Amino acid sequence: MKILMVSTEYPPMKGGVAHYSQKLVGSLRNEGLKVSVVCNEAGSGDYTGISPYNRHNSDVLIKAVEEFKPNVVHVQYEPGLYGIHLDPINPRRTNTNIESFYHDCTIPIVTTFHSAYTFEQWMRLIVPVSSGRFGRMGTFLRTMYDYWTHLLNYSSFNSLNRAKIGPNRAGIVFSKYLQNLIPGSYLIYHGSEPSVTCPVDKTEVRKKFLLPEDVNIALAVGFMTATKGWDIIKKMRVPNDWKIVINSSKNHYSKEKMKKRFENDGVIDLSRGFLDDRELSSLLYSADTLILPYKVSSASGVMFDGFAHGLPFISSKIEFFKEFSDMGLGISVDRNPSDFSGALLELKGHYKKYKDAVSEFSKNLSWKEVSRKHIELYESIAKTPF
């Protein structure tokens, strides 16, 4: 079977979608599928040319389909990576630069949805961006424009997602939360496995990162954006027997400028930047839990990576994370410093219970299991008459 994998981000580009796509492609090839990748020129795909800024993305994809002749096209769909345009007047004109591809392609398409939001989460995506040229007034006007376009286009954004499911069109999501927002989609969890051989000596790993050996460690790691909510960490009164370890980086398309100073005795900022798979795996093994104080989240590759390394989590009480805390895999609390500090103490008091639940759940995340479920879906949709 031949699969054309579409992902604007692809290594060596840095990004969560890039990392996920590469791991999925590798696992599918291990199962005997012939997979070709379409991505941006900065990625190492077989075909290139798509980007958030190319209004002809659909033409690039149609050409790749004609040349490769796949049985199934699989799109890793994060709207912003294909160029999403929120119309400020007529929401019916809201679109991305690959909508015509979905309309014109005669090959079955599977779409993995990396983003879907409740209305509250959708409005929280608005981040005021400083306008150096026009000062505070420019910042205010830009923010008001963003509020208006988001308010007007929430339904149209959801319509773009839902239009990608139907005859010869299937969807994949990472949670029941997303499944409820995108009816008809299939739940296949985000795969993850350690990149270093287990078992790992936690003491030795901590020495490698110059981390203290006599405390519990809560780890915050990933691309630093306003919606990650790390401002909570700055304000936390970290319990004496805990340290919060932070390591942040920027993905390929990030333009946000974040203040990175954490003046808190309970916080250690590694400042190591982007970590390769083995380094990230080692750092995860050095920790006791993940701390995820996000303001917005549709999915979290970091959370799934944590599960693969035996780590429960502490998170904001938002819909995506609450689904997994309700399964006993972590603790979700209101987004304030005292609740997060209290959650560290609660987690320590019942650590074995959470650890055992994570160990059992992580069996769902092996790439062999994830690729098997993908192949079942590919075979099913490939047999469906167009």
Side-chain angles (χ1 to χ4, degrees), residues 185-254:
S185 55
Y186 294 85
L187 172 59
I188 302 178
Y189 289 122
H190 187 302
S192 185
E193 294 176 4
S195 295
V196 296
T197 305
C198 194
V200 173
D201 186 323
K202 184 176 286 190
T203 299
E204 290 302 313
V205 174
R206 289 191 179 186
K207 285 180 180 178
K208 174 183 175 182
F209 289 102
L210 303 178
L211 296 174
E213 300 169 26
D214 58 346
V215 296
N216 300 289
I217 287 180
L219 179 64
V221 62
F223 302 111
M224 192 175 186
T225 63
T227 58
K228 291 288 174 66
W230 286 6
D231 56 305
I232 286 288
I233 295 173
K234 298 178 185 180
K235 304 169 187 174
M236 284 178 61
R237 181 173 294 178
V238 182
N240 291 332
D241 53 351
W242 283 88
K243 290 289 184 184
I244 297 177
V245 174
I246 290 175
N247 192 72
S248 65
S249 56
K250 298 184 76 171
N251 67 14
H252 185 83
Y253 290 108
S254 177

Side-chain angles (χ1 to χ4, degrees), residues 41-52:
E41 286 88 347
S44 59
D46 305 282
Y47 303 90
T48 60
I50 56 175
S51 92

Side-chain angles (χ1 to χ4, degrees), residues 71 162 274 305 322 333 372:
N71 301 101
R162 292 175 179 176
F274 185 79
D305 286 342
K322 194 170 185 305
V333 296
R372 180 186 67 79

Side-chain angles (χ1 to χ4, degrees), residues 85-95 148-149 152-153 156:
H85 310 283
L86 302 181
D87 194 283
I89 299 172
N90 185 356
R92 293 182 180 180
R93 291 203 296 258
T94 287
N95 62 75
W148 169 249
T149 55
L152 185 65
N153 283 285
S156 56

Side-chain angles (χ1 to χ4, degrees), residues 48-69:
T48 60
I50 56 175
S51 92
Y53 316 111
N54 184 2
R55 290 188 174 272
H56 301 287
N57 282 337
S58 292
D59 296 334
V60 174
L61 297 180
I62 289 292
K63 184 178 179 182
V65 167
E66 291 173 346
E67 291 184 12
F68 184 59
K69 296 180 172 56

